[in-house]
Amino acid sequence: MMKQDQTRTPLFSTLRKHWESGPLTGHVPGHKFGTVFPERGLEYFEDILKIDATEITGLDDLHDPEEMIKDAQELAAGLYGSEATYFLVNGSTVGNLAMILATCTRKSRVLVQRNCHKSILNAVELAGAEPVFLPCLFDDELGVVTSISTEGLKQALESISNIDAVILTNPNYYGLSIDLEEIIGMVHEKNLPILVDEAHGAHFVAGDPFPKSALALGADMVVHSAHKTLPAMTMGSFLHVQGDIVKKEKVAYYLRMLQSSSPSYPIMASLDLARFYLASIGPEDIKVIVRSIDMIKDEIDQLVGIKVIRPANPYIKVDPLKLVLRSTNGFSGFELQKALEKEGVFVELADAMNVLFILPLAALSSKHDMIERIKKALNKCEKQVSEVKVALDSFIPFPRNLSQLTIPLDEQQNYQCRKCRLEEAVGEVAAESIIPYPPGISILLKGELITKEVVEYISYLRMLGARFQGNDLLKTNYITTYIREKE
Amino acid sequence: MMKQDQTRTPLFSTLRKHWESGPLTGHVPGHKFGTVFPERGLEYFEDILKIDATEITGLDDLHDPEEMIKDAQELAAGLYGSEATYFLVNGSTVGNLAMILATCTRKSRVLVQRNCHKSILNAVELAGAEPVFLPCLFDDELGVVTSISTEGLKQALESISNIDAVILTNPNYYGLSIDLEEIIGMVHEKNLPILVDEAHGAHFVAGDPFPKSALALGADMVVHSAHKTLPAMTMGSFLHVQGDIVKKEKVAYYLRMLQSSSPSYPIMASLDLARFYLASIGPEDIKVIVRSIDMIKDEIDQLVGIKVIRPANPYIKVDPLKLVLRSTNGFSGFELQKALEKEGVFVELADAMNVLFILPLAALSSKHDMIERIKKALNKCEKQVSEVKVALDSFIPFPRNLSQLTIPLDEQQNYQCRKCRLEEAVGEVAAESIIPYPPGISILLKGELITKEVVEYISYLRMLGARFQGNDLLKTNYITTYIREKE
């Protein structure tokens, strides 16, 4: 790999130069670099619209890059050490869709981590493949799924035929990460591709004390949300590809298919700037950042009524940018979230027990304000669910063994659906996935058998005030199920 | 439909209010409303990042809208007269993908206009359906496909079984539009859905002299690029749905699947503002806009060496915002484009004969400057292809009769590929689609028989300097073809 000048931002700089040249725009977009726009929006939009361009001469083409976009993507590949890095303007969602469509074929099997993002299973469905779920490991302290079990993967690789790919999610939403070296080796021994949704790990390449990136450990494709922990605009992500197992032309083919044919230049430019930002952060900066986070953790731990949660398992590595807090007075995560919001503090997500903060990759400047606001919030915590004890040990009831859908994706279209009261759904097969959002991880999948534990868990989340995405019936305590012939 | 106050912009206004409340952001994106961002980008990004938010309390969820996003979408539906309008943040591409996946099933047939955008055929491929191409009509003056023939559609509807949908593109890229009333009636008589890619007609609802929108004429689904002729940010589009033939839940299902789970709030806010902008344009404003366009056309027609091109067919309606110019001195569209670019004038596209300007939905302010720059450009026109006469009557060689792929999409995976010199490819079947971009319309489709006319047309475009998207081999005069058994 050539030594590159990571201080350059060719994509952003070329856009700026184009605007500064005073072009007359006879092309889309219709706002004509912001000169045609409603007055009331100008304060926020005027500057960015100057670089909201399109594929004219000199501004390259994301779907067939040869100039500034190619240059910017190669700088990103250079920083991450990948063979090819694709800029994504439709989020990590499109990275997950493209990497799976490029590797998985109809009727094949794919080994999937059950606590994956919904886009992973959407991609498997679009590809016409069938998911086989790997056994999960849980962290007793956080109460969340951390990873797959290596034993379970070994068993799956030995017992299941016709596998096209292994798809993992690491770190999880809470920043908990396992070392994938052994797992990647096992998968490559079978000559299978291993695809890693590392959406929350775009900054891991900065090095210790961040967990190791799957890319450095040899994963074939890795997706990074550059908007999650780096300063890219929302929907800006990277898809990295390396090795000989995956065909890069197929990846590019599906990205051309699934991303807008008029991709957003501001989002692409922000990816260029985010890569530059990351490249400019050295070991000394990281020390300062981590020290400022440790200080805030210490201050929070000294507050009454709240504590910082750390994983029970010492083999789990934690991303310092993720901060998990829990009430020590029996308030649920949702109740704590509400109280914080009253003080203008907005967290990434709440679950039954915790709230999750995502901290910036920068020394915390508003630390004092944050502690003051948390203090005030603790005084305002209110019991929403007065009669019900919050079960602090309730886990998502994911299968702990190798499992498959009761009705495969490919056969579901042959079944009729009906609505069913949630409490009466035990033993039925779900015809819709139930997805609390965030984090966007399905706690029940369409095609999955509905167990008593799942019904209890959904009811419990509903009672605590969780939000679900696209589950309209659930608002009235119903769920869609498939009608099966009496056996 | 309730009378609505179209002067409101609930999505944009709520975002602004949230920022002004001084929130402490413990969530993504990583730029934390622009407070963590490289200095060099701030001039352009600082203001927009204040509203680059995510799905926190109060800011709704595009994938399950209940508050400000629902409100903004309903205002758009109210303006357009649709039953449901979905905000798209991945361009009209994702609108085309979702509307086709929601209506077409594996092994079914879909009737498609051959000069459609590549996303239409990508969607048909993803759905596993097979396209049947409707016969095309050409305009002799512009040399482009205008529409399907009503006779051809009638024949197709009578002779082809197992049709799931009819998909049209109207207006075409050059703003040429036909009245779809009769066609929509024919399709609905068969109880089939008619889906219209009206990407270039987001402003048609403003009324005369703009062509009629397919939505007003009863099409089941219509896609609008709000960034093409309205002032939305690039990738901002609308998908409108009406009637009982299409299931809205299926449309929402595929949009949740194909759009980022972290959709861009700036793009959504710009859709809200673009709808407001369009709603605020009255008949008097339109008169002023059209008058200013007519004046510029008159001035151009008085220049030596260039003329405004109008369609030959009087039944074709022309969008006044599209301006087609042609050299009267035998320069190709690509040569004219190059000369204009030297004067800092950037057009939407060039073809063999023409250049296409897209004008704003606003009275032209830089009219004088435009004429001066065009004048200078005309003096600088240079023959790139000195030895070859530019064939001003060369049409895209699309089939003029009902046609299908020689190797259906579903069977292509069973064939091996080889690279073949372009001149030797006549009689072979293409294994890649050849797509000049813009406009992004395939002149040859994978699975299509390669005719002598197509090879000549591709060679001709290459010689003139057209750009192709994703056709790497073509740069060395090769094309990928399928290897067929000797018959």
Side-chain angles (χ1 to χ4, degrees):
Chain A
M1 182 90 43
M2 244 180 61
K3 195 165 156 48
Q4 298 168 310
D5 180 6
Q6 291 282 346
T7 63
R8 294 190 303 119
T9 45
L11 206 169
F12 169 66
S13 303
T14 307
L15 279 173
R16 185 174 53 187
K17 213 175 291 169
H18 180 78
W19 160 252
E20 287 171 351
S21 75
L24 199 152
T25 63
H27 52 78
V28 298
H31 60 66
K32 311 292 167 186
F33 290 134
T35 55
V36 177
F37 204 75
E39 177 67 29
R40 78 172 69 162
L42 280 178
E43 185 187 343
Y44 292 86
F45 284 89
E46 190 169 25
D47 291 330
I48 200 71
L49 296 183
K50 295 170 186 170
I51 58 168
D52 188 30
T54 193
E55 290 75 22
I56 53 171
T57 306
L59 300 188
D60 211 357
D61 178 354
L62 176 66
H63 294 292
D64 193 13
E66 297 185 323
E67 302 164 294
M68 68 174 192
I69 297 175
K70 182 167 187 266
D71 194 1
Q73 288 187 155
E74 284 177 357
L75 282 166
L79 178 65
Y80 282 101
S82 75
E83 289 171 19
T85 293
Y86 298 91
F87 279 12
L88 307 178
V89 294
N90 188 26
S92 292
T93 295
V94 83
N96 286 335
L97 293 176
M99 75 177 177
I100 291 169
L101 282 165
T103 44
C104 301
T105 53
R106 286 190 62 74
K107 311 272 183 194
S108 70
R109 310 277 198 51
V110 284
L111 303 186
V112 183
Q113 189 162 338
R114 181 60 183 80
N115 65 323
C116 61
H117 187 259
K118 64 197 172 89
S119 57
I120 297 284
L121 292 166
N122 284 335
V124 173
E125 181 179 343
L126 268 184
E130 286 298 331
V132 178
F133 299 105
L134 296 164
C136 301
L137 297 180
F138 290 78
D139 186 84
D140 290 339
E141 190 58 39
L142 270 86
V144 299
V145 175
T146 52
S147 68
I148 58 159
S149 85
T150 312
E151 263 313 300
L153 173 64
K154 200 174 163 193
Q155 185 201 333
L157 287 172
E158 278 165 8
S159 64
I160 293 168
S161 62
N162 193 20
I163 300 172
D164 268 359
V166 177
I167 309 167
L168 301 186
T169 303
N170 194 57
N172 73 5
Y173 214 107
Y174 296 80
L176 307 188
S177 183
I178 61 163
D179 189 319
L180 290 177
E181 191 158 11
E182 185 188 352
I183 285 173
I184 291 172
M186 281 167 59
V187 176
H188 279 170
E189 203 151 287
K190 297 273 179 187
N191 207 27
L192 291 175
I194 179 158
L195 322 179
V196 182
D197 178 356
E198 195 174 271
H200 288 267
H203 58 298
F204 286 3
V205 72
D208 196 60
F210 299 113
K212 276 187 205 157
S213 169
L215 198 60
L217 300 173
D220 302 274
M221 287 198 268
V222 174
V223 177
H224 279 153
S225 283
H227 61 92
K228 283 194 165 73
T229 51
L230 303 182
M233 284 187 84
T234 302
M235 298 211 302
S237 292
F238 300 125
L239 173 59
H240 310 284
V241 187
Q242 62 187 357
D244 301 325
I245 303 180
V246 172
K247 288 185 186 147
K248 294 191 187 74
E249 319 86 73
K250 276 193 105 172
V251 178
Y253 179 82
Y254 282 104
L255 287 175
R256 278 198 296 272
M257 184 181 267
L258 296 168
Q259 297 210 93
S260 173
S261 63
S262 302
S264 165
Y265 277 87
I267 293 176
M268 286 190 270
S270 79
L271 286 169
D272 198 22
L273 288 161
R275 184 271 315 151
F276 159 71
Y277 181 84
L278 179 59
S280 69
I281 289 187
E284 278 311 308
D285 301 304
I286 292 175
K287 274 186 199 153
V288 173
I289 293 169
V290 172
R291 203 177 306 135
S292 81
I293 294 171
D294 285 342
M295 280 172 61
I296 214 158
K297 284 183 180 169
D298 287 347
E299 289 192 52
I300 290 170
D301 268 338
Q302 285 164 30
L303 297 179
V304 177
I306 199 160
K307 65 172 176 176
V308 177
I309 301 298
R310 296 165 178 91
N313 183 338
Y315 294 104
I316 297 285
K317 218 158 175 194
V318 190
D319 175 5
L321 300 190
K322 299 294 175 82
L323 174 61
V324 181
L325 301 184
R326 186 182 296 168
S327 161
T328 53
N329 291 330
F331 293 104
S332 74
F334 300 103
E335 288 162 335
L336 186 53
Q337 177 185 35
K338 277 221 172 72
L340 286 164
E341 285 172 359
K342 282 183 192 152
E343 295 305 319
V345 178
F346 293 84
V347 298
E348 176 68 16
L349 66 78
D351 64 23
M353 295 179 276
N354 311 302
V355 295
L356 171 68
F357 282 78
I358 299 190
L359 304 175
L361 187 63
L364 292 170
S365 56
S366 56
K367 205 171 49 175
H368 180 72
D369 186 30
M370 183 170 165
I371 295 293
E372 282 308 306
R373 292 201 199 196
I374 290 175
K375 258 195 218 169
K376 280 189 197 160
L378 289 173
N379 292 329
K380 287 190 183 166
C381 259
E382 280 172 37
K383 226 56 236 105
Q384 309 291 319
V385 201
S386 52
E387 290 136 66
V388 189
K389 186 182 161 295
V390 173
L392 287 185
D393 55 352
S394 75
F395 287 176
I396 294 186
F398 282 158
R400 297 191 181 221
N401 299 308
L402 209 57
S403 69
Q404 300 192 42
L405 297 177
T406 300
I407 303 179
L409 286 171
D410 199 36
E411 293 173 20
Q412 293 180 18
Q413 77 238 27
N414 305 326
Y415 287 80
Q416 300 289 314
C417 298
R418 67 180 184 99
K419 52 183 271 193
C420 177
R421 274 190 67 83
L422 188 59
E423 293 77 13
E424 291 158 12
V426 175
E428 301 289 326
V429 175
E432 61 177 324
S433 298
I434 302 291
I435 311 175
Y437 191 84
I441 296 163
S442 308
I443 50 180
L444 177 65
L445 291 168
K446 59 177 191 168
E448 236 175 8
L449 190 72
I450 305 173
T451 61
K452 185 164 162 287
E453 290 72 29
V454 162
V455 166
E456 283 173 2
Y457 191 73
I458 294 172
S459 304
Y460 178 58
L461 285 185
R462 286 194 64 223
M463 183 194 68
L464 293 179
R467 289 172 47 222
F468 296 86
Q469 198 174 58
N471 302 119
D472 283 339
L473 276 179
L474 196 57
K475 288 164 195 165
T476 54
N477 209 41
Y478 280 85
I479 183 171
T480 321
T481 58
Y482 286 120
I483 301 173
R484 291 189 288 176
E485 301 288 318
K486 291 274 172 275
E487 278 137 24
Chain B
M1 182 88 45
M2 244 181 61
K3 194 164 159 45
Q4 297 168 308
D5 180 5
Q6 292 281 345
T7 64
R8 294 191 302 118
T9 45
L11 206 167
F12 168 66
S13 304
T14 307
L15 280 173
R16 184 173 55 188
K17 213 174 291 170
H18 180 78
W19 160 252
E20 288 171 351
S21 75
L24 199 151
T25 64
H27 52 77
V28 298
H31 60 65
K32 311 292 167 185
F33 290 133
T35 55
V36 177
F37 205 74
E39 176 68 28
R40 77 172 69 164
L42 279 179
E43 184 186 344
Y44 292 87
F45 284 90
E46 189 168 26
D47 292 329
I48 200 70
L49 296 183
K50 296 170 185 170
I51 59 169
D52 189 29
T54 194
E55 291 73 23
I56 54 171
T57 306
L59 299 187
D60 211 358
D61 178 355
L62 177 66
H63 294 292
D64 193 12
E66 296 185 323
E67 301 165 294
M68 68 174 191
I69 298 175
K70 181 167 188 267
D71 194 0
Q73 288 188 154
E74 285 177 356
L75 282 165
L79 178 65
Y80 282 101
S82 75
E83 287 171 20
T85 293
Y86 298 91
F87 279 12
L88 308 179
V89 294
N90 188 26
S92 292
T93 295
V94 84
N96 286 336
L97 293 176
M99 76 177 177
I100 291 169
L101 283 165
T103 44
C104 301
T105 52
R106 285 190 62 73
K107 311 272 184 194
S108 70
R109 310 279 199 47
V110 283
L111 303 185
V112 183
Q113 189 162 339
R114 182 58 183 78
N115 65 323
C116 61
H117 187 261
K118 64 196 172 89
S119 57
I120 297 284
L121 292 166
N122 285 336
V124 173
E125 181 180 343
L126 267 184
E130 285 298 330
V132 178
F133 300 105
L134 295 165
C136 300
L137 297 179
F138 289 77
D139 186 84
D140 291 338
E141 190 59 38
L142 270 87
V144 299
V145 175
T146 52
S147 68
I148 59 158
S149 86
T150 311
E151 262 314 299
L153 173 63
K154 200 174 162 191
Q155 185 202 333
L157 286 172
E158 279 165 8
S159 63
I160 293 167
S161 61
N162 193 20
I163 301 172
D164 268 359
V166 177
I167 308 168
L168 300 186
T169 303
N170 194 56
N172 72 4
Y173 214 107
Y174 297 80
L176 307 188
S177 181
I178 61 163
D179 190 317
L180 291 177
E181 190 158 12
E182 186 187 353
I183 286 172
I184 292 172
M186 280 167 60
V187 175
H188 278 171
E189 203 151 287
K190 297 275 181 186
N191 208 27
L192 291 174
I194 180 158
L195 322 179
V196 182
D197 177 357
E198 196 174 89
H200 288 267
H203 58 297
F204 286 2
V205 72
D208 196 60
F210 298 113
K212 276 186 205 159
S213 168
L215 199 60
L217 299 173
D220 302 272
M221 288 197 268
V222 173
V223 177
H224 280 152
S225 283
H227 61 93
K228 283 195 165 72
T229 51
L230 304 182
M233 284 187 87
T234 302
M235 298 209 303
S237 292
F238 299 126
L239 173 58
H240 309 285
V241 187
Q242 62 187 356
D244 301 326
I245 303 180
V246 172
K247 285 184 188 148
K248 295 192 186 73
E249 318 84 73
K250 277 194 104 172
V251 178
Y253 179 81
Y254 282 104
L255 287 175
R256 277 198 297 271
M257 183 181 269
L258 296 167
Q259 297 210 93
S260 172
S261 64
S262 302
S264 164
Y265 276 88
I267 293 176
M268 286 191 269
S270 79
L271 285 169
D272 198 24
L273 288 161
R275 185 270 315 152
F276 159 72
Y277 180 84
L278 179 59
S280 69
I281 289 187
E284 280 309 310
D285 302 303
I286 292 174
K287 274 186 200 155
V288 174
I289 292 169
V290 172
R291 204 177 303 135
S292 82
I293 294 171
D294 285 342
M295 281 172 62
I296 214 156
K297 284 181 179 170
D298 288 347
E299 289 191 53
I300 290 169
D301 269 336
Q302 285 163 29
L303 297 179
V304 176
I306 199 161
K307 65 173 178 179
V308 176
I309 302 297
R310 295 167 178 90
N313 183 339
Y315 295 104
I316 297 286
K317 222 163 171 192
V318 190
D319 176 5
L321 301 190
K322 300 294 174 81
L323 175 60
V324 181
L325 301 184
R326 185 182 297 168
S327 162
T328 54
N329 292 330
F331 292 104
S332 74
F334 300 104
E335 288 162 335
L336 187 53
Q337 178 185 35
K338 275 219 173 72
L340 286 165
E341 284 172 0
K342 282 183 191 152
E343 296 305 319
V345 179
F346 292 84
V347 298
E348 177 68 16
L349 65 80
D351 63 24
M353 296 180 275
N354 311 301
V355 296
L356 171 67
F357 281 79
I358 299 190
L359 305 174
L361 188 64
L364 292 170
S365 55
S366 56
K367 204 171 53 175
H368 181 71
D369 186 31
M370 183 169 166
I371 295 293
E372 282 308 307
R373 293 202 198 195
I374 290 175
K375 258 195 217 169
K376 280 188 196 159
L378 289 173
N379 292 329
K380 287 188 184 166
C381 258
E382 279 171 38
K383 222 73 228 99
Q384 309 292 317
V385 201
S386 51
E387 291 135 65
V388 189
K389 186 182 160 296
V390 173
L392 287 184
D393 55 353
S394 77
F395 287 176
I396 293 185
F398 281 159
R400 296 189 182 222
N401 298 308
L402 209 57
S403 69
Q404 298 192 42
L405 296 177
T406 300
I407 303 179
L409 286 171
D410 200 35
E411 293 173 19
Q412 293 180 19
Q413 78 238 26
N414 305 326
Y415 287 80
Q416 299 289 313
C417 298
R418 67 182 184 99
K419 56 182 268 192
C420 178
R421 275 190 67 83
L422 189 58
E423 293 77 14
E424 291 159 11
V426 175
E428 302 288 324
V429 175
E432 63 177 324
S433 298
I434 302 292
I435 311 175
Y437 190 86
I441 297 163
S442 309
I443 51 180
L444 177 65
L445 292 167
K446 59 176 189 169
E448 237 175 7
L449 190 71
I450 305 174
T451 62
K452 184 164 163 288
E453 291 71 29
V454 163
V455 166
E456 284 173 2
Y457 191 73
I458 294 172
S459 303
Y460 179 57
L461 285 185
R462 287 194 65 223
M463 183 193 66
L464 293 179
R467 288 172 46 223
F468 296 86
Q469 198 173 59
N471 302 120
D472 284 338
L473 277 180
L474 196 56
K475 288 164 195 164
T476 54
N477 209 41
Y478 280 85
I479 183 171
T480 321
T481 58
Y482 286 120
I483 301 172
R484 291 189 288 175
E485 300 288 317
K486 293 272 174 277
E487 277 138 23

